[in-house]
């Protein structure tokens, strides 16, 4: 067995089990057995199955969040460029999550929606401070004109994650594209940028 911490073994076990079983049917005992450790070891690291799921979500989004935190400090890169890089990382992670999540026929639509809601909630809460910081920096240098940077960051992230995930509000590809284009138009008008100047944000 690879030299891997019990913490990660537990997360790997839950992810493996979720590929063939519904989340609600998975027990802590099964997770321990799949991880090859005692049930007591589970509770040394996690208080519940829900806590394991939350940690798995956090691990799966570790890379884009690290990217976001790094970009928030990169004042040498224009704010909108940094926003685009964060949004692209968000899109890539959501796309990868959806590809993995829908690969198993044993997971029904209600559970897919529940898991996606957990991912979306975590992603928005973690990315919002970083995106807000970038918008505030843009306001400070006069490239962005908007009175509510935190609200703007939240709106952008909600629309992006919900539309890309396409589970909470199922839409056709054409509708998704239209919504994202509408978001760009609102951003341009709200931040007093010329029409078409921010199309690169969601390219």
């Amino acid at each position: 067995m690879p030299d891997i911490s019990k913490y990660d073994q537990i997360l790997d076990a839950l992810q493996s089990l979720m590929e063939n079983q519904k989340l609600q049917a998975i027990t802590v005992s099964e997770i321990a057995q799949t991880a090859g450790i005692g049930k007591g070891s589970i509770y040394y690291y996690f208080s519940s199955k829900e806590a394991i799921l939350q940690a798995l979500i956090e691990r799966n989004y570790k890379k884009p969040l690290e990217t976001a935190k790094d970009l928030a400090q990169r004042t040498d890169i224009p704010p909108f460029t940094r926003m685009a890089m964060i949004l692209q990382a968000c899109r890539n992670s959501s796309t990868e999550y959806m590809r993995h999540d829908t690969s198993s026929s044993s997971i029904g639509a209600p559970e897919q929606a529940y898991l996606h809601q957990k991912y979306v909630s975590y992603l928005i809460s973690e990315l919002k401070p970083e995106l807000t910081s970038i918008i505030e920096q843009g306001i400070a240098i006069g490239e962005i004109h908007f009175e509510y940077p935190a609200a703007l960051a939240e709106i952008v992230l909600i629309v992006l994650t919900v539309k890309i995930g396409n589970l909470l509000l199922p839409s056709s590809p054409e509708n998704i594209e239209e919504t994202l284009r509408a978001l760009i138009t609102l951003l341009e008008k709200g931040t007093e940028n010329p029409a078409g100047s921010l199309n690169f944000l969601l390219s």
Side-chain angles (χ1 to χ4, degrees):
M1 177 176 288
D3 184 17
I4 182 173
S5 71
K6 287 184 178 181
Y7 182 92
D8 281 322
Q9 285 177 241
I10 295 167
L11 300 186
D12 290 342
L14 177 58
Q15 186 152 341
S16 175
L17 288 167
M18 286 171 59
E19 292 176 359
N20 299 296
Q21 297 184 50
K22 291 184 177 180
L23 177 64
Q24 63 184 21
I26 299 172
T27 65
V28 173
S29 295
E30 284 182 292
I31 296 172
Q33 184 178 12
T34 302
I37 61 178
K39 184 177 178 180
S41 295
I42 296 280
Y43 292 109
Y44 177 80
Y45 294 98
F46 302 100
S47 60
S48 64
K49 182 177 72 176
E50 189 71 14
I52 302 173
L53 176 62
Q54 185 63 34
L56 179 60
I57 290 170
E58 292 174 10
R59 187 180 71 172
N60 287 352
Y61 274 117
K62 182 179 179 180
K63 186 173 181 179
L65 293 177
E66 287 178 345
T67 297
K69 288 175 170 48
D70 176 64
L71 288 172
Q73 308 303 318
R74 294 288 304 276
T75 55
D76 58 310
I77 302 175
F80 277 120
T81 301
R82 283 182 283 157
M83 283 180 64
M85 294 168 75
I86 286 179
L87 297 181
Q88 189 57 53
C90 173
R91 293 181 77 181
N92 290 344
S93 294
S94 292
T95 301
E96 181 60 30
Y97 163 72
M98 289 302 299
R99 181 162 43 246
H100 174 79
D101 183 59
T102 57
S103 63
S104 172
S105 59
S106 66
I107 299 178
E111 184 160 5
Q112 285 181 353
Y114 168 73
L115 291 172
H116 188 249
Q117 185 275 328
K118 295 283 289 184
Y119 274 77
V120 165
S121 177
Y122 177 69
L123 193 61
I124 291 173
S125 66
E126 291 295 313
L127 283 180
K128 181 181 174 182
E130 314 306 333
L131 193 53
T132 299
S133 176
I134 291 173
I135 294 170
E136 289 173 340
Q137 292 166 24
I139 292 172
I141 63 176
E143 289 190 11
I144 297 175
H145 305 275
F146 203 79
E147 295 183 17
Y148 311 102
L152 180 59
E154 186 171 294
I155 289 168
V156 169
L157 290 169
I158 288 174
V159 173
L160 188 67
T161 53
V162 169
K163 279 300 181 180
I164 291 175
N166 205 28
L167 277 177
L168 301 181
L169 187 64
S171 306
S172 67
E174 293 76 19
N175 178 261
I176 293 173
E177 178 69 18
E178 182 180 35
T179 300
L180 296 181
R181 292 301 168 192
L183 174 63
I184 287 294
T185 300
L186 288 174
L187 277 174
E188 289 169 344
K189 291 181 178 179
T191 59
E192 300 181 16
N193 279 272
S197 62
L198 303 184
N199 284 339
F200 73 96
L201 281 175
L202 297 180
S203 60

